[in-house]
Amino acid sequence: MSTPSTTAPHDVDLAQARWRKSSYSGGANDCVEVAELGRHAAVRDSKNISRGSLLFSKAAMRALVSGIASGAIGEHRS
């Protein structure tokens, strides 16, 4: 089994990241986790943390969450 990545692009250290899951996960291990890292936010798949994380600026993360919440980003149903 591989070890989860402790670094992300731009030399952001993930070793001390405090990961949290969505309250919608219900405690299951099938959700994304988010960590705040100063000027950045990291996101990872809780089912497979060894795949690493995605790193966003906080502004990009706010735009992503806002877009999802407003329905501008996500599944479109006809």
Side-chain angles (χ1 to χ4, degrees):
M1 183 172 177
S2 62
T3 304
S5 176
T6 58
T7 59
H10 309 290
D11 297 324
V12 173
D13 185 8
L14 298 177
Q16 300 300 318
R18 292 179 46 163
W19 295 96
R20 64 176 200 251
K21 290 183 188 179
S22 166
S23 59
Y24 291 101
S25 72
N29 199 29
D30 58 353
C31 196
V32 295
E33 295 175 313
V34 178
E36 293 183 50
L37 304 161
R39 296 182 1 222
H40 297 92
V43 178
R44 70 182 182 183
D45 180 351
S46 64
K47 292 183 307 249
N48 193 353
I49 61 174
S50 65
R51 293 184 70 187
S53 8
L54 299 173
L55 185 68
F56 297 92
S57 70
K58 284 206 174 174
M61 189 68 173
R62 279 190 298 274
L64 174 64
V65 171
S66 176
I68 292 168
S70 72
I73 299 172
E75 186 176 330
H76 295 279
R77 295 183 181 151
S78 306

